[in-house]
Amino acid sequence: MAATRTKLLVLNAGSSSLKFKVYRWLGASTDTAAAAARGSAAAGSTAELQPLAAGLCERIGDPAGGALMRASAGATSWREGERIEEPMPDHGAALRLVASFLSRSLATGAEHAFDQDVLAVGHRVVHGGSIAQSVLIDDAARGSLQDVCHLAPLHNPPSLHCIDAARSLFPGAPHVACFDTTFHKSLPPEAYMYALPADLCRKHRIRKYGFHGISYTYLTREAARMLGKPLEETNLIICHLGAGSSMCAVQGGRSVDTTMGFTPLEGLVMGSRCGDIDPAIVPFLMREQGLGPDELDALMNRKSGFLGMAGSIDARSVEECALAGDEACQLALAVFVRRVRKYLGAFLVHLGGRLDALVFSAGIGENGSMLRDMICADLAWAGIAGLDRTANEATVRGKAGEVQAAGSRAKVLVIPTDEQLEIALETLAVVQAAVD
């Protein structure tokens, strides 16, 4: 009989970073197949997953060096955990360092290495292209992901590098790709179609895909729980605001519109991405500046947003400089807030004005109390009578709660997102389905 496999490894690869988290599945049985087969109940239960270890590798592939892994096992936050400074020229090297740390920290015995205890590995992949659901990663699935790398050039390539390394390091475990695009499969045609020639759209699969779906899945379920409403009766506008920012209109627990589109470039102002612009600016810059497609792609994805307008990719720095009187930073924040409020109004129309809660999450959404206050100003007509100052300022750094002012018809919720947990749950569900 095979040894019990109880651990789920979740990997989230960024362009120069790698987040990881390990859970023990408390529903595991006496062997891998039996554990997976009993996953139908556990796959939907957060109580069945016990966090064991987590960490972050930073500055992967940076030619200037300085690569760092911060990690911890147990209750200690990885931010206060072990610090390992070691060269990480690529995501494969970073993952090997992660595997070494986990083997030292979590192996259950000299003859039972960590890799033999891994039930499954879940991977966050930003763009799934035509793949609509989370899938087991085989060579065909990997090839499909390779085909859409050009649609998410900052995100999909490092995810593939991480997948390749993980399949090599953990060959005995199934690997599952969980997509940020899946949550938006419910978008109606009038929401995802672009007004371009239909034959071109069909040929090149041009449509609004939407992103941050793993986060939105978690936040929708958590908001419904906090509101005490069935998921299918819950109407939300969710603001996932961070270095990459987007919004989503949720009607009856399903995505009906979102700000990101064919790629994660469309929509809100972001750390280094421009969001919505007049498309005619692209050929204009090609003519006037002599820029090619790759240079324009880099300009819009890596040199714009807060970085282009205010000189910093970090919204906290922009906010601090704005408060100190820097006019460029003040304007950058005003542009950011105006764009959010523009979509807030549009999404309220999509929901017919029936809003249960406005939800803030991710780095800016969870910690930017000043920006939350600016976004929610003068919204009494929408059922939000501003924010409670004390509650708003206190609900930061991982805290969840209601922050709306008294007299509001709709709630304003701050909910820290947990993409790693959502990936773990989805991974269990896919593995279970594969052995049923």
Side-chain angles (χ1 to χ4, degrees):
M1 181 178 293
T4 305
R5 290 178 179 255
T6 62
K7 295 182 176 65
L8 281 165
L9 173 60
V10 173
L11 300 173
N12 184 346
S15 58
S16 61
S17 65
L18 174 62
K19 295 179 184 177
F20 67 91
K21 193 161 187 176
V22 178
Y23 297 88
R24 175 183 286 120
W25 181 31
L26 302 179
S29 184
T30 55
D31 59 64
T32 304
R38 292 203 243 293
S40 55
S45 172
T46 60
E48 299 266 355
L49 293 173
Q50 175 190 14
L52 294 179
L56 171 68
C57 298
E58 300 177 283
R59 302 191 70 175
I60 298 170
D62 190 334
L68 170 69
M69 182 176 83
R70 291 177 289 169
S72 69
T76 304
S77 167
W78 59 263
R79 292 177 176 84
E80 285 78 48
E82 186 174 341
R83 293 172 60 90
I84 301 172
E85 295 186 43
E86 193 167 309
M88 291 181 246
D90 53 35
H91 284 76
L95 187 55
R96 287 191 291 273
L97 192 62
V98 169
S100 175
F101 168 79
L102 295 175
S103 292
R104 284 188 286 107
S105 304
L106 300 180
T108 54
E111 297 182 358
H112 195 190
F114 174 75
D115 66 300
Q116 298 172 1
D117 204 17
V118 176
L119 170 63
V121 183
H123 299 263
R124 179 201 178 202
V125 180
V126 166
H127 210 309
S130 60
I131 304 176
Q133 301 284 353
S134 299
V135 294
L136 286 171
I137 301 171
D138 55 17
D139 290 342
R142 193 214 174 278
S144 296
L145 300 182
Q146 181 73 51
D147 290 343
V148 296
C149 276
H150 63 292
L151 301 183
L154 297 180
H155 303 91
N156 270 35
S159 293
L160 281 176
H161 295 155
C162 192
I163 286 169
D164 291 342
R167 292 175 76 190
S168 174
L169 285 168
F170 305 104
H175 292 253
V176 175
C178 302
F179 303 107
D180 271 327
T181 47
T182 298
F183 185 70
H184 305 293
K185 68 180 188 220
S186 55
L187 291 177
E190 61 270 26
Y192 68 68
M193 283 294 295
Y194 291 109
L196 293 168
D199 57 340
L200 282 178
C201 290
R202 285 191 295 268
K203 178 179 179 180
H204 297 288
R205 293 179 290 176
I206 297 172
R207 54 160 290 171
K208 179 185 284 284
Y209 288 99
F211 301 92
H212 289 142
I214 296 169
S215 176
Y216 287 134
T217 302
Y218 174 83
L219 294 169
T220 299
R221 187 177 62 246
E222 188 65 9
R225 184 194 66 78
M226 292 173 69
L227 293 166
K229 298 194 69 171
L231 194 65
E232 62 272 14
E233 297 177 11
T234 301
N235 289 353
L236 308 167
I237 296 175
I238 307 178
C239 303
H240 178 110
L241 308 178
S245 292
S246 72
M247 294 170 64
C248 184
V250 176
Q251 187 173 48
R254 295 160 60 87
S255 173
V256 294
D257 206 349
T258 188
T259 56
M260 286 181 171
F262 179 58
T263 73
L265 182 59
E266 186 181 353
L268 304 180
V269 174
M270 302 175 230
S272 66
R273 283 173 261 172
C274 59
D276 293 342
I277 61 171
D278 181 345
I281 293 172
V282 173
F284 175 83
L285 289 176
M286 293 178 76
R287 289 191 301 267
E288 297 297 318
Q289 293 292 118
L291 300 179
D294 291 342
E295 293 169 304
L296 275 167
D297 184 85
L299 184 148
M300 293 186 292
N301 272 295
R302 296 181 173 89
K303 300 178 182 179
S304 298
F306 282 132
L307 180 62
M309 289 191 293
S312 175
I313 198 171
D314 190 341
R316 292 168 298 183
S317 298
V318 176
E319 187 175 314
E320 289 170 3
C321 292
L323 290 171
D326 187 301
E327 292 183 358
C329 291
Q330 291 171 351
L331 178 59
L333 292 181
V335 172
F336 174 82
V337 169
R338 186 179 182 89
R339 189 78 55 82
V340 172
R341 285 167 62 87
K342 171 185 172 181
Y343 278 107
L344 177 59
F347 288 176
L348 278 166
V349 171
H350 293 333
L351 298 178
R354 293 182 291 275
L355 178 67
D356 295 310
L358 175 63
V359 179
F360 288 97
S361 193
I364 297 172
E366 294 170 25
N367 299 295
S369 58
M370 185 181 88
L371 286 172
R372 292 195 302 246
D373 189 58
M374 293 169 68
I375 291 166
C376 293
D378 302 318
L379 290 181
W381 58 272
I384 298 172
L387 301 185
D388 179 282
R389 181 175 179 179
T390 301
N392 184 43
E393 292 181 355
T395 311
V396 294
R397 291 186 291 278
K399 294 181 181 177
E402 299 181 12
V403 298
Q404 74 279 354
S408 296
R409 183 177 71 251
K411 304 287 189 184
V412 180
L413 305 177
V414 178
I415 306 177
T417 193
D418 196 337
E419 292 170 304
Q420 282 80 6
L421 176 60
E422 193 60 41
I423 293 168
L425 291 169
E426 188 64 28
T427 298
L428 273 177
V430 171
V431 171
Q432 178 270 328
V435 297
D436 268 355

